[in-house]
Amino acid sequence: MKLSVLRWLFDPATSLLAQRLRAQESGHMSYDTSWRLARVTRHPDEVVYRHHGHLAEDSGDER
């Protein structure tokens, strides 16, 4: 099942807000980005998770 479908099933209010935000940007914002923004707007305590998925997979640093 696609992630967007799961998001609609588990949190329709956030998904609807994400659609509204995306429409305001005339579709220039991805659904994933708009959903994350909507989620943080509705649940400010989850701001620590905002950048999850936007980070590089491997920074190439050898430790």
Side-chain angles (χ1 to χ4, degrees), residues 18-46:
Q19 288 289 54
R20 289 181 184 163
L21 289 170
R22 193 166 183 224
Q24 287 175 352
E25 294 292 323
S26 303
H28 295 288
M29 183 185 298
S30 73
Y31 177 73
D32 187 49
T33 302
S34 63
W35 194 89
R36 290 170 195 233
L37 179 60
R39 184 71 186 179
V40 171
T41 300
R42 293 190 66 239
H43 304 279
D45 56 317
E46 294 183 6

Side-chain angles (χ1 to χ4, degrees), residues 2 16 22 30 42 49 54:
K2 288 190 173 193
L16 185 59
R22 193 166 183 224
S30 73
R42 293 190 66 239
Y49 303 111
H54 290 284

